[in-house]
Amino acid sequence: MKLRIIAAAVLGAVTALSAAATAQAAPAQAAAARTFTTEVSGTCDTGTGEWVVDWAITNQSDTTALLILMQSTPAEAALTSLPSPQGGATAHAIQRIPGDSAGAHLTYIAVWTDFPGGSWQSSTDFTAPSLCERA
């Protein structure tokens, strides 16, 4: 009889721990699903002697998030706003920087209004591979 009680108590404890672990994993999985990726590329515009920097921002979640621009450099050619791609979509922010610039930097935060406390920060750099001059 004592063996059955101990076995039942152990089984109950394992079930409770399993349920607690599952409950803790669910918010973590929901948060992990709410991410963005940022890819950057640059093309030399030989007509103007500027780098055309394309920030491709992909929303990897299934809902739209508000993007808050935190930092954009160089200061003389900084972005002033960012698109907010729908869930699963990619949007582009185009930045034109001087041809003699070393590159550009973008930092933003994504915030989901339906997910209290849920946010994602991205910080990405574009390094100009060479001088971009007018042809």
Side-chain angles (χ1 to χ4, degrees):
M1 184 70 152
K2 284 185 180 181
L3 186 56
R4 284 187 194 173
I5 293 171
I6 293 171
V10 169
L11 181 59
V14 168
T15 302
L17 287 174
S18 176
T22 302
Q24 288 177 354
Q29 289 170 348
R34 295 182 185 243
T35 61
F36 274 73
T37 58
T38 306
E39 295 183 14
V40 61
S41 61
T43 305
C44 178
D45 181 345
T46 57
T48 63
E50 296 174 311
W51 282 102
V52 180
V53 181
D54 179 3
W55 304 95
I57 301 168
T58 302
N59 182 347
Q60 295 182 316
S61 74
D62 58 357
T63 59
T64 301
L66 171 66
L67 297 186
I68 302 168
L69 179 62
M70 299 301 290
Q71 181 183 32
S72 175
T73 62
E76 69 272 16
L79 291 170
T80 57
S81 65
L82 292 174
S84 288
Q86 299 292 320
T90 299
H92 297 266
I94 306 299
Q95 181 180 18
R96 298 182 78 85
I97 64 173
D100 60 354
S101 176
H105 175 80
L106 173 64
T107 299
Y108 65 88
I109 296 175
V111 178
W112 288 268
T113 57
D114 67 336
F115 187 59
S119 65
W120 176 264
Q121 181 171 331
S122 175
S123 187
T124 308
D125 292 300
F126 166 73
T127 303
S130 62
L131 183 65
C132 177
E133 298 179 290
R134 284 185 174 178

